[in-house]
Amino acid sequence: MALFLTKDLDDPAHSRLGVWQITESEEELRNQTSIPTDELEEISYIKSESLRKQKLAVRALLDAMFEDKVYLSHHDNGKPYIENCVTNISITHTDKYVAIILNDNEDVGIDIESLDRDFSAVEKKALSEDEIDDLEDDEKRNEQLAIYWCAKEAIFKMMGQYQVDFAEQIEIDRFRPKNDGELEATFVDKDGFEEELNLEYLTFDRHVLVWVIGG
């Protein structure tokens, strides 16, 4: 069992965060999870072994975070939900880790990325002119771009809207990358309504994890 982290977050909405480190083989993950048959059948059609393991690790983490068996499904926009439990959920995964955030009352979003990736494309793909001006010109630049990307992905997941322009609709206030910290952001919907958001992030084992809670 490779449960890396579970914690109750210090926020008014009482969110819970869980992280699983994928150290097991695919067979070991299958044997130790109480995965529903239909979910297991879906996973069996996935060609990538790494992605199959990630999906199985999500189930292992769900088992660790819930006392009773839960049934995971997805809305048409891809946003996950639990069929037999009234709680909001967001899920993210890489080759080495999966993470989940839960909240009974507020929408949530979470994203994780490996810092071994090159995030240089994020600058043109997802950042506003102001955000580009705020980029550091040192060894922290790739990490800063990864945090920008994870923050915008987490907000996108929480909002559950189609065709969001990351550069135009999601603005992250200036920050300097640290081991952990807070971020302030603004989301502008297509009608021009602005929502102020607070995010948190954590870096560990060459990964960055960012989460956001609505409200």
Side-chain angles (χ1 to χ4, degrees), residues 49-74:
E49 180 185 359
S50 176
L51 187 54
R52 290 197 303 270
K53 287 173 66 175
Q54 291 171 44
K55 297 287 188 180
L56 289 166
V58 166
R59 170 50 58 179
L61 184 52
L62 286 170
D63 287 350
M65 296 183 74
F66 287 90
E67 291 185 6
D68 299 320
K69 187 174 182 178
V70 294
Y71 295 85
L72 185 66
S73 191
H74 294 81

Side-chain angles (χ1 to χ4, degrees), residues 25-182:
S25 67
E26 183 176 350
E27 183 179 2
E28 287 171 334
L29 283 168
R30 285 176 183 267
N31 290 336
Q32 71 184 56
T33 56
S34 61
I35 187 167
T37 304
D38 58 342
E39 207 173 311
L40 185 59
E41 185 176 1
E42 278 186 34
I43 291 172
S44 69
Y45 290 128
I46 298 173
K47 293 183 179 180
S48 166
E49 180 185 359
S50 176
L51 187 54
R52 290 197 303 270
K53 287 173 66 175
Q54 291 171 44
K55 297 287 188 180
L56 289 166
V58 166
R59 170 50 58 179
L61 184 52
L62 286 170
D63 287 350
M65 296 183 74
F66 287 90
E67 291 185 6
D68 299 320
K69 187 174 182 178
V70 294
Y71 295 85
L72 185 66
S73 191
H74 294 81
H75 295 289
D76 290 342
N77 62 2
K79 193 171 185 177
Y81 69 94
I82 298 174
E83 295 179 5
N84 60 322
C85 181
V86 183
T87 191
N88 296 300
I89 183 172
S90 185
I91 300 169
T92 185
H93 38 81
T94 65
D95 287 344
K96 290 183 65 176
Y97 291 94
V98 301
I100 289 172
I101 188 170
L102 304 168
N103 188 287
D104 290 344
N105 302 305
E106 304 292 347
D107 286 324
V108 288
I110 194 168
D111 196 60
I112 190 171
E113 293 286 353
S114 169
L115 290 172
D116 291 329
R117 281 184 54 190
D118 179 2
F119 287 92
S120 57
V122 170
E123 183 174 340
K124 293 182 179 179
K125 179 180 180 181
L127 300 192
S128 68
E129 291 184 5
D130 286 342
E131 290 168 333
I132 292 171
D133 288 341
D134 290 340
L135 287 172
E136 305 288 345
D137 288 320
D138 59 18
E139 72 280 356
K140 287 283 189 178
R141 189 182 184 92
N142 195 63
E143 182 178 344
Q144 190 178 18
L145 286 168
I147 294 172
Y148 268 123
W149 180 252
C150 284
K152 296 196 177 200
E153 273 285 337
I155 292 170
F156 171 70
K157 290 178 179 180
M158 184 185 75
M159 293 301 179
Q161 297 183 14
Y162 294 98
Q163 297 179 333
V164 172
D165 187 321
F166 279 26
E168 295 293 329
Q169 292 181 252
I170 306 174
E171 184 82 16
I172 311 296
D173 289 354
R174 185 171 186 170
F175 67 94
R176 173 70 176 172
K178 300 182 294 184
N179 290 336
D180 57 79
E182 298 180 358

Side-chain angles (χ1 to χ4, degrees), residues 6-38:
T6 57
K7 65 182 296 186
D8 294 323
L9 300 178
D10 185 19
D11 68 274
H14 305 296
S15 304
R16 285 193 296 145
L17 177 71
V19 180
W20 186 279
Q21 184 180 21
I22 305 173
T23 60
E24 306 87 349
S25 67
E26 183 176 350
E27 183 179 2
E28 287 171 334
L29 283 168
R30 285 176 183 267
N31 290 336
Q32 71 184 56
T33 56
S34 61
I35 187 167
T37 304
D38 58 342

